[in-house]
Amino acid sequence: MPQPELTLFHFPGACSQVALCALEEAKLDYRLEVVDLAGGKQNTPDYLAINPLGKVPYLLIDGVGLGENAAILSYIALLRPEAHLLPSPADPRQWAEGVGGMSFCGGTLHPAVRGIANPFRLTTGEVEGVRERATELASKAFKQANRRIGEKGWWLGDWSIVDVYLHWAFEVATSRGFDATPFPHLAALTERLMERPSFARMMGLKQPA
Ligand SMILES: N[C@@H](CCC(=O)N[C@@H](CS)C(=O)NCC(=O)O)C(=O)O
């Protein structure tokens, strides 16, 4: 069956890198459109006409848009089940663990990481208090993730796209001064994930030419 036509809207270093890695891992053909978040291009009329929320990732599937990392990752996983991005939905319990991992990254970690990286997005006042509280929230969540990776090896036991999502959140936090020392299993993720060609390619594609 021919694959749908796919276009991913992405910005290097943003959470859209997880969707990019999923497309690579699933060996799908896709077009990459860089939205310059640093230059505010997500809020231009042209991009808002495509995605009114002005966010990446955004995936056009045969011209019709899909937002939210968890939805995009689920779609790619189901489109190419042989890539094992997530557990099979034939096992509801395991599938739910995969959804739980994506929700943890998108719903729990991402807002805390945003408070560390971009606290000015969350307040019109002083940013230091926001960063302090966000650091506390991130510490609690990363502690649980670090323990889980230490015990199971990967978030689900076997590699999944959740590990790539977790890596993104940890990398953003630590690149903005969050102390990695108490989380050795998370700190080791980059090197371990680099052994996967899809991840290495995604990291290579991170910087715009
Ligand atoms: N809930 C969304 C969050 C997406 C999101 O916040 N993306 C950020 C990049 S990491 C973005 O597009 N920021 C641009 C902005 O908010 O102006 C998801 O999980 O896909």
Side-chain angles (χ1 to χ4, degrees), residues 14-15 37 42 54-57 68-69 110 114 121 165 168:
C15 59
L37 299 188
Q42 71 276 31
K55 299 269 185 195
V56 295
E68 298 296 327
N69 242 321
H110 193 157
R114 183 181 288 125
R121 297 289 302 272
Y165 208 163
W168 169 79

Side-chain angles (χ1 to χ4, degrees), residues 1-168:
M1 190 175 99
Q3 70 153 83
E5 200 174 286
L6 301 174
T7 302
L8 178 69
F9 292 87
H10 164 65
F11 182 65
C15 59
S16 51
Q17 76 181 40
V18 188
L20 174 57
C21 187
L23 289 167
E24 286 285 330
E25 186 76 27
K27 297 187 169 51
L28 287 159
D29 291 327
Y30 62 91
R31 221 158 55 83
L32 197 60
E33 287 279 348
V34 172
V35 181
D36 179 10
L37 299 188
K41 292 288 189 281
Q42 71 276 31
N43 293 317
T44 58
D46 280 358
Y47 188 60
L48 292 174
I50 296 167
N51 178 6
L53 273 182
K55 299 269 185 195
V56 295
Y58 199 67
L59 186 68
L60 289 185
I61 306 165
D62 287 335
V64 181
L66 180 66
E68 298 296 327
N69 242 321
I72 293 169
L73 302 176
S74 300
Y75 170 76
I76 298 170
L78 294 174
L79 192 65
R80 285 286 181 270
E82 64 277 16
H84 300 291
L85 295 178
L86 290 169
S88 163
D91 183 337
R93 181 71 184 85
Q94 281 312 306
W95 171 256
E97 283 292 334
V99 173
M102 292 187 293
S103 302
F104 176 73
C105 293
T108 300
L109 286 177
H110 193 157
V113 165
R114 183 181 288 125
I116 294 171
N118 294 312
F120 56 88
R121 297 289 302 272
L122 303 175
T123 180
T124 53
E126 287 298 315
V127 296
E128 269 325 305
V130 175
R131 189 175 273 126
E132 194 181 322
R133 284 282 183 252
T135 300
E136 286 169 19
L137 290 171
S139 298
K140 192 174 169 195
F142 280 131
K143 187 172 167 195
Q144 191 201 325
N146 185 68
R147 190 184 318 117
R148 183 163 172 149
I149 297 291
E151 284 168 9
K152 293 171 79 85
W154 298 110
W155 183 266
L156 295 170
D158 292 328
W159 174 90
S160 74
I161 200 67
V162 175
D163 301 298
V164 179
Y165 208 163
L166 194 53
H167 166 271
W168 169 79

Side-chain angles (χ1 to χ4, degrees), residues 189-201 203-204:
L189 275 178
T190 309
E191 206 178 315
R192 295 176 63 209
L193 286 167
M194 274 303 223
E195 288 174 16
R196 296 189 81 86
S198 64
F199 185 85
R201 259 196 312 277
M203 293 296 267

